[in-house]
């Protein structure tokens, strides 16, 4: 218990706090990636599309995320770490708003793609950013990618369940926007910056 408390104290101080903000931002955006996974039946009922069409809201964003992955280092050539996080969150919130107010499939799908664009800007660079921020002797957080995915999935299921209980499957997006705004407000406390040399996108990675 004392060890857990010590690790938490580290997370809210100095470099650990900066890494914590980045991780929380990424978790919130990953929740968005899972936000329609359980809602397929609800979306079918709401929009009248068949389940195959509705599944595009889960499949196409993942394909788009994979396509964006090789572009990760490019963004840091243009933006600072704080700007990168804020840009990711801002785009993600726009997408979440569209998903939250969507009344047909085209708007829902557009919102999901925009959500994924925000997520895809930060996700490829997150391990490098955290490794740079944290002291060399305490880099355990750099290996928590699987943990972040697990936490995001559990929280997505929990928040989706609350949305279902409220009678509105789109309510989860309000939660995501509120959480994103809190993290956006705290992003300015990140002081670290990275200098990225010219990065050339390898065509084979984009194709893969």
């Amino acid at each position: 218990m004392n060890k857990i408390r010590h690790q938490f104290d580290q997370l809210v101080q100095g470099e650990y706090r900066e890494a914590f903000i980045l991780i929380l931002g990424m978790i919130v955006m990953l929740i968005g990636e899972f936000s329609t996974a359980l809602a397929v039946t609800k979306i079918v009922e709401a929009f009248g599309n068949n389940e195959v069409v509705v599944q595009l809201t889960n499949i196409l964003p993942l394909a788009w995320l994979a396509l964006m992955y090789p572009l990760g280092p490019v963004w840091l050539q243009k933006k600072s770490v704080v700007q990168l996080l804020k840009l990711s969150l801002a785009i993600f919130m726009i997408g979440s708003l569209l998903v939250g107010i969507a009344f047909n499939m085209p708007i829902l799908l557009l919102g999901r793609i925009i959500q994924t664009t925000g997520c895809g800007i930060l996700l490829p660079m997150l391990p490098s950013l955290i490794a740079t921020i944290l002291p060399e002797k305490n880099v355990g957080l750099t290996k928590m990618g699987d943990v972040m995915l697990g936490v995001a999935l559990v929280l997505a299921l929990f928040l989706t369940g609350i949305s279902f209980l409220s009678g509105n499957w789109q309510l989860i997006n309000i939660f995501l926007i509120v959480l994103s705004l809190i993290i956006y407000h705290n992003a300015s406390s990140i002081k670290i910056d990275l200098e990225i040399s010219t990065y050339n996108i390898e065509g084979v990675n984009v194709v893969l």
Side-chain angles (χ1 to χ4, degrees):
M1 187 67 181
N2 289 334
K3 183 178 180 180
I4 294 175
R5 183 178 299 173
H6 175 68
Q7 290 176 338
F8 180 79
D9 290 340
Q10 287 181 319
L11 282 176
V12 297
Q13 298 174 8
E15 297 94 344
Y16 292 92
R17 184 173 186 275
E18 296 180 8
F20 195 45
I21 292 170
L22 283 168
I23 291 170
L24 285 178
M26 196 69 259
I27 287 177
V28 168
M29 287 187 281
L30 286 172
I31 291 173
E33 292 304 300
F34 298 121
S35 63
T36 55
L38 287 182
V40 171
T41 302
K42 298 289 185 182
I43 297 172
V44 170
E45 294 174 356
F47 299 158
N49 300 100
N50 62 55
E51 291 192 6
V52 174
V53 173
V54 173
Q55 282 291 1
L56 290 176
T57 62
N58 297 315
I59 296 170
L60 288 184
L62 291 178
W64 180 241
L65 185 62
L67 187 62
M68 289 189 67
Y69 218 86
L71 302 177
V74 173
W75 311 117
L76 273 176
Q77 292 178 191
K78 310 292 184 182
K79 305 288 184 182
S80 68
V81 174
V82 172
Q83 290 173 328
L84 188 71
L85 177 57
K86 287 187 172 182
L87 176 63
S88 298
L89 289 169
I91 294 174
F92 175 79
M93 285 188 282
I94 293 171
S96 297
L97 179 61
L98 285 176
V99 175
I101 64 174
F103 53 84
N104 59 33
M105 269 298 296
I107 295 177
L108 177 62
L109 192 55
L110 176 63
R112 291 287 289 118
I113 294 296
I114 294 175
Q115 272 186 329
T116 302
T117 301
C119 183
I121 288 175
L122 183 63
L123 183 60
M125 292 303 298
L126 190 68
S128 299
L129 290 174
I130 294 175
T132 302
I133 290 171
L134 292 181
E136 292 183 5
K137 62 181 180 179
N138 290 304
V139 293
L141 289 176
T142 63
K143 302 176 182 179
M144 66 177 302
D146 292 338
V147 175
M148 283 194 301
L149 287 173
V151 169
L153 178 57
V154 170
L155 289 176
L157 295 176
F158 176 72
L159 293 175
T160 301
I162 293 176
S163 299
F164 286 176
L165 290 175
S166 74
N168 183 356
W169 64 270
Q170 294 168 294
L171 185 62
I172 184 175
N173 294 281
I174 303 302
F175 293 131
L176 296 178
I177 291 172
V178 171
L179 292 173
S180 297
L181 285 171
I182 294 172
I183 297 167
Y184 188 97
H185 176 72
N186 286 278
S188 297
S189 64
I190 297 176
K191 305 302 181 184
I192 192 70
D193 203 0
L194 294 180
E195 293 184 5
I196 301 294
S197 58
T198 302
Y199 178 78
N200 297 317
I201 302 170
E202 296 182 11
V204 65
N205 288 336
V206 176
V207 171
L208 290 174

